[in-house]
């Protein structure tokens, strides 16, 4: 039995004291209304109305239950309203993720913009690699994330694809630091510092392929993610690192490192068919933050990271 609908019928008859008027108020025929009242009385085991050919009078039991019925209907409407707010992305919890290389300034800009767009929504933000985000989507543990391209986007919907400048980080005393644009081939002899491959295997492989096309095969590939650790490797062990302009690596306070440009692709992603206003708000906030705080620019559509031919390839 649909208890809420039956209680609506009970309250309408009690307030109208007439089955015909109550049926018109509810937008239904009178016989089905009478049947619902009878089913409700049978379910509750009490008589709610005294019926005569000319009038309907609420019983003492009905009077005692009427206030409870009204309260239950009010709570039911409050429940529905809360569900509508959650469905509209106005309240609830959004589980989101960002890649580890996103700068603090970009994260701060994203959070401020998101709070402005959806002040009543709780944001649970994680720092996860692209591979970890894809696993989170598959396990239904993540609602939205900012991923690196290329990666397998099967089953995902994407926001605008954004490019950030990616470049080489090298010691200021290196000969290549005097150049405005550094040929990849000139980095021969240097180790290369990259993020661990498990974090974004397609991006990792594509970067190494691009380096090889440009005439640079690293003497060794070292792995690191923390800014201090990577900077230490670059400064002390004959290595260079790849990183975006807005990363903390690219702007060390002591000025011992210099940076020269490449290209890096991102987009916000979420499971297909599960996007809502909350996801859209996060996507808009992330896109705006990357454009304003990280200097990213739009690119359409999402596609694998194919860098320039060897004859044109500069960091």
């Amino acid at each position: 039995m649909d208890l809420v609908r039956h209680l609506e019928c009970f309250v309408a008859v009690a307030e109208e004291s007439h089955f015909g008027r109550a049926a018109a108020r509810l937008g239904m025929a009178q016989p089905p209304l009478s049947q619902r009242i009878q089913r409700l009385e049978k379910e509750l085991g009490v008589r709610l109305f005294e019926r005569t050919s000319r009038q309907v009078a609420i019983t003492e039991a009905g009077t005692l239950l009427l206030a409870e019925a009204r309260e239950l209907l009010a709570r039911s409407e409050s429940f529905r309203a809360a569900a509508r707010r959650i469905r509209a992305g106005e309240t609830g919890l959004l589980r989101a993720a960002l890649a580890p290389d996103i700068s603090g300034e970009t994260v701060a800009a994203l959070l401020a913009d998101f709070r402005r767009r959806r002040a009543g929504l709780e944001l649970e933000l994680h720092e996860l690699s692209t591979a970890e985000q894809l696993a989170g989507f598959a396990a239904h543990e993540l609602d939205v994330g900012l991923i690196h391209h290329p990666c397998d986007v099967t089953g995902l919907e994407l926001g605008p694809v954004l490019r950030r400048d990616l470049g080489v980080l090298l010691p200021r005393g290196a000969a290549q630091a005097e150049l405005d644009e550094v040929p990849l081939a000139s980095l021969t002899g240097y180790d290369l510092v990259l993020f661990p491959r498990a974090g974004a295997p397609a991006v990792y492989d594509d970067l190494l392929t691009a380096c090889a096309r440009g005439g640079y095969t690293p003497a060794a590939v070292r792995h690191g993610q923390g800014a201090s650790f990577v900077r230490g490797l670059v400064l002390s062990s004959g290595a260079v690192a790849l990183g975006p302009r807005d990363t903390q690596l690219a702007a060390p306070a002591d000025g011992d490192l210099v940076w020269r440009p490449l290209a890096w692709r991102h987009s916000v992603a979420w499971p297909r068919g599960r996007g809502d206003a909350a996801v859209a708000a996060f996507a808009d906030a992330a896109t705006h933050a990357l454009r304003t705080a990280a200097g990213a620019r739009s690119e359409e559509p999402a596609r694998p990271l194919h860098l320039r031919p060897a004859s044109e390839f500069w960091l």
Side-chain angles (χ1 to χ4, degrees):
M1 183 180 70
D2 183 349
L3 180 61
V4 171
R5 184 58 175 162
H6 282 68
L7 290 179
E8 288 174 343
C9 294
F10 166 49
V11 171
V13 174
E15 292 177 349
E16 298 293 341
S17 297
H18 192 280
F19 274 92
R21 289 193 298 270
R25 168 174 155 180
L26 294 169
M28 61 188 299
Q30 184 173 332
L33 174 59
S34 298
Q35 293 168 7
R36 289 194 177 192
I37 294 299
Q38 290 171 4
R39 283 197 296 270
L40 181 61
E41 289 176 327
K42 183 177 180 180
E43 178 72 20
L44 298 177
V46 296
R47 192 168 183 81
L48 300 173
F49 298 103
E50 295 292 348
R51 305 163 179 82
T52 69
S53 58
R54 312 186 88 178
Q55 65 178 4
V56 177
I58 191 168
T59 64
E60 182 179 354
T63 301
L64 292 172
L65 290 174
L66 183 58
E68 294 282 350
R70 287 173 172 148
E71 183 179 347
L72 283 172
L73 290 177
R75 291 175 64 185
S76 172
E77 177 53 35
S78 175
F79 181 82
R80 289 192 179 105
R84 288 193 294 270
R85 289 194 299 272
I86 293 171
R87 187 169 62 248
E90 297 173 1
T91 188
L93 174 68
L94 183 70
R95 302 165 300 175
L98 297 174
D101 70 302
I102 301 300
S103 71
E105 291 78 9
T106 304
V107 174
L110 187 159
L111 292 175
D113 195 12
F114 182 81
R115 282 193 292 268
R116 180 181 62 80
R117 295 171 187 270
R118 284 290 182 271
L121 190 67
E122 181 183 354
L123 180 64
E124 181 182 283
L125 189 60
H126 301 273
E127 185 181 51
L128 299 173
S129 68
T130 294
E132 290 169 330
Q133 291 184 50
L134 296 178
F137 290 140
H140 307 292
E141 296 172 352
L142 194 64
D143 299 312
V144 63
L146 182 63
I147 61 173
H148 287 305
H149 293 288
C151 65
D152 183 1
V153 295
T154 303
L156 299 180
E157 296 182 45
L158 302 178
V161 178
L162 302 173
R163 293 170 60 94
R164 284 195 298 158
D165 284 337
L166 177 75
V168 61
L169 198 69
L170 64 165
R172 183 170 294 279
Q176 296 87 348
E178 302 299 321
L179 304 173
D180 291 334
E181 295 180 328
V182 179
L184 275 172
S186 73
L187 298 176
T188 299
Y190 283 100
D191 292 351
L192 177 62
V193 181
L194 283 179
F195 53 86
R197 185 179 184 277
V203 177
Y204 183 100
D205 293 344
D206 209 46
L207 287 173
L208 287 181
T209 299
C211 288
R213 288 175 183 157
Y216 169 45
T217 300
V221 177
R222 300 173 179 269
H223 297 128
Q225 287 183 293
S228 296
F229 182 74
V230 173
R231 291 186 65 245
L233 290 176
V234 173
L235 287 170
S236 63
S237 61
V240 296
L242 299 180
R245 183 187 294 275
D246 61 305
T247 184
Q248 294 179 2
L249 292 173
D254 55 16
D256 287 339
L257 303 179
V258 294
W259 180 93
R260 297 292 181 266
L262 235 185
W264 197 234
R265 289 181 177 87
H266 296 276
S267 67
V268 178
W270 58 93
R272 182 171 294 138
R274 295 176 61 193
D276 55 21
V279 167
F282 183 88
D284 290 343
T287 299
H288 183 262
L290 282 168
R291 284 173 174 159
T292 56
R297 54 197 183 277
S298 295
E299 174 183 292
E300 294 292 345
R303 60 180 186 271
L305 178 62
H306 293 303
L307 302 178
R308 288 168 286 177
S311 59
E312 303 175 10
F313 192 79
W314 303 84
L315 286 176

